[in-house]
Amino acid sequence: MDTVSPQPSSEISEWVSRAALRLEDKVIAWRRDIHQNPELSYHETRTAALAAKHLAALGYEVTTGVGETGVVGVLKGGKPGPVVALRADMDALPVEERVDLPFASKVKAPWHGQMTGVMHACGHDAHVAILMGVAEILAEYRAELTGHGEAPVPAQPKEGFEGRPSGAQAMIDQGALADPVPSAIFGLHVTSAQASGVIALRPGGLMASADRLRINVHGRQTHASMPWRGVDPVVTSAQIILALQTVITRQIESTATPAVLSISTIHGGVRSNILPTTSPWKARCASTTRRCAPTSSGASPRRRPPSADAGGATAEVDIGEGVPVTYNDPALTRWGTQSLGDGVGAERVTESRPVMGAEDFSLLANVVPGMFYFLGVTPPDEDPHRRPPTTRRCSISTSRR
């Protein structure tokens, strides 16, 4: 890219490495503190305050409350040139932590009307801690930075799109990438699928888009001993769920893009001896559809699902867009891959296969050229293929580091 500075020299790489080692203990302490005090989406007030205080102390111009709980810090460099943005997400998940660690989360919070455990089961605590460390290194090096140097976003609320809008979109809507306008944005995600210190990325589509699918199936209530006197929405829902898989196998060109359609929840009825009806009981299926190509002929499972009316039931179908494909700008990624290789060794930078998980970093990368990559966190004495995944695409290491 014309707007990207030349490759860093070995002298700069060595200086950054020394600075990173000097800050290692601080980054670990930040990560453990955030991990022990997780906050759900759009409730990340403590984490946001921690990031904002740190950035302000380093001399960043700090704006809080961006996208409700997000933080933007801008560091002005000493030389003219383009602006670079760095992003980290900070929300935790409604997951109970069951590991024996001194910094394990004991936090509980309401989620969909129920109290549940809260933990950083997807590594966002590490993301914030890493970027706080990077922000400190850049502040020390500000005389050599160009333009505004950096517009970090270390406190993006809610990475994802279920329920409320994604944190990335909320921050975009409130001008996080508008003043200054970055020439490029970078993000990372820790993963247990790779050994510690191994970096994986690819140009073009890295992660899938994800759309929301909801189906409400309406039947007619009857006693379970006399199903012929009503219309069973539960059996109809089961038939729809099975038939939906033919959308993937028969309606999407398999050579164009990988695609997944998963039904993750189904609800219906309240008693074992009553078949539910349209009101107030109904069977509801919820799913996400995922694909790894931004546009592809025949690759969008947006056709209406198989009809429910064959058995006398009716269905309401709601398909809502979630997040687009996480697309790595090819020119920026070529530069970034070389730069990462210079910093950590080319042998530790690998090409990733397309990943069916989704990331709302994709929304930021739709505004300015972006590069996203995976950072391995599995300890070297453990097999990444045997590391347990979490409720999402990532896992968190139970290493005491």
Side-chain angles (χ1 to χ4, degrees):
M1 290 182 61
D2 292 338
T3 56
V4 176
S5 301
Q7 294 294 331
S9 67
S10 59
E11 181 180 345
I12 294 177
S13 295
E14 291 174 5
W15 182 89
V16 171
S17 295
R18 289 194 300 270
L21 289 172
R22 189 175 68 251
L23 289 172
E24 181 179 14
D25 288 343
K26 291 177 69 173
V27 172
I28 291 171
W30 286 325
R31 182 256 168 173
R32 292 182 176 183
D33 176 66
I34 297 168
H35 187 87
Q36 198 167 15
N37 297 278
E39 296 168 304
L40 293 173
S41 300
Y42 288 114
H43 293 83
E44 310 94 336
T45 54
R46 182 185 184 277
T47 312
L50 177 69
K53 181 179 179 180
H54 178 65
L55 292 174
L58 295 172
Y60 284 74
E61 297 177 358
V62 178
T63 304
T64 59
V66 184
E68 193 163 331
T69 54
V71 176
V72 175
V74 177
L75 180 68
K76 292 186 177 180
K79 298 180 179 180
V83 175
V84 173
L86 308 177
R87 171 268 198 174
D89 36 13
M90 65 174 180
D91 57 315
L93 294 171
V95 176
E96 182 180 355
E97 184 155 22
R98 297 179 180 177
V99 294
D100 182 20
L101 292 172
F103 54 90
S105 170
K106 306 297 183 184
V107 174
K108 292 186 179 294
W111 175 259
H112 291 181
Q114 296 183 359
M115 292 299 293
T116 183
V118 181
M119 73 169 291
H120 276 287
C122 207
H124 296 184
D125 50 344
H127 300 170
V128 178
I130 289 169
L131 195 49
M132 287 172 66
V134 171
E136 186 162 332
I137 293 174
L138 290 172
E140 294 178 15
Y141 202 62
R142 75 181 70 199
E144 300 300 319
L145 297 178
T146 62
H148 286 77
E150 182 205 13
V153 188
Q156 177 201 301
K158 189 181 181 180
E159 184 272 309
F161 63 95
E162 287 191 54
R164 298 180 62 175
S166 93
Q169 189 61 57
M171 296 195 77
I172 291 169
D173 292 343
Q174 294 195 17
L177 299 181
D179 184 22
V181 177
S183 297
I185 186 165
F186 297 88
L188 65 80
H189 211 302
V190 296
T191 175
S192 64
Q194 297 159 199
S196 178
V198 173
I199 293 171
L201 72 166
R202 63 183 289 117
L206 174 66
M207 300 183 70
S209 64
D211 299 326
R212 186 195 71 250
L213 168 65
R214 289 196 177 98
I215 304 173
N216 291 332
V217 181
H218 303 270
R220 188 172 67 251
Q221 182 174 293
T222 184
H223 196 277
S225 65
M226 297 176 285
W228 55 86
R229 299 188 62 175
V231 176
D232 189 346
V234 177
V235 170
T236 304
S237 296
Q239 293 170 334
I240 290 174
I241 291 169
L242 292 175
L244 278 171
Q245 298 309 309
T246 64
V247 174
I248 301 298
T249 62
R250 292 297 180 265
Q251 296 184 22
I252 294 178
E253 185 180 350
S254 59
T255 60
T257 178
V260 171
L261 193 159
S262 295
I263 302 294
S264 54
T265 63
I266 179 168
H267 305 279
V270 293
R271 286 180 62 96
S272 62
N273 66 340
I274 299 176
L275 300 183
T277 188
T278 54
S279 179
W281 318 120
K282 58 189 174 184
R284 184 184 69 196
C285 314
S287 76
T288 55
T289 57
R290 298 169 183 267
R291 57 192 186 277
C292 280
T295 57
S296 181
S297 175
S300 178
R302 291 185 170 276
R303 305 180 190 182
R304 185 177 178 85
S307 176
D309 58 15
T314 60
E316 299 168 352
V317 180
D318 174 26
I319 301 177
E321 290 195 20
V323 294
V325 169
T326 301
Y327 183 83
N328 278 342
D329 180 86
L332 181 63
T333 304
R334 284 193 297 271
W335 176 87
T337 301
Q338 179 66 48
S339 179
L340 288 169
D342 289 345
V344 302
E347 72 282 358
R348 297 174 74 180
V349 182
T350 64
E351 181 167 322
S352 173
R353 292 182 297 176
V355 174
M356 295 310 294
E359 241 287 351
D360 71 353
F361 178 86
S362 57
L363 297 166
L364 302 165
N366 273 1
V367 178
V368 298
M371 190 189 91
F372 194 80
Y373 61 93
F374 297 108
L375 174 64
V377 294
T378 293
D381 58 342
E382 297 184 27
D383 183 357
H385 299 291
R386 295 181 178 274
R387 293 294 297 163
T390 64
T391 56
R392 305 177 72 179
R393 64 188 171 281
C394 324
S395 68
I396 190 161
S397 173
T398 56
S399 164
R400 294 186 180 270
R401 271 311 258 172

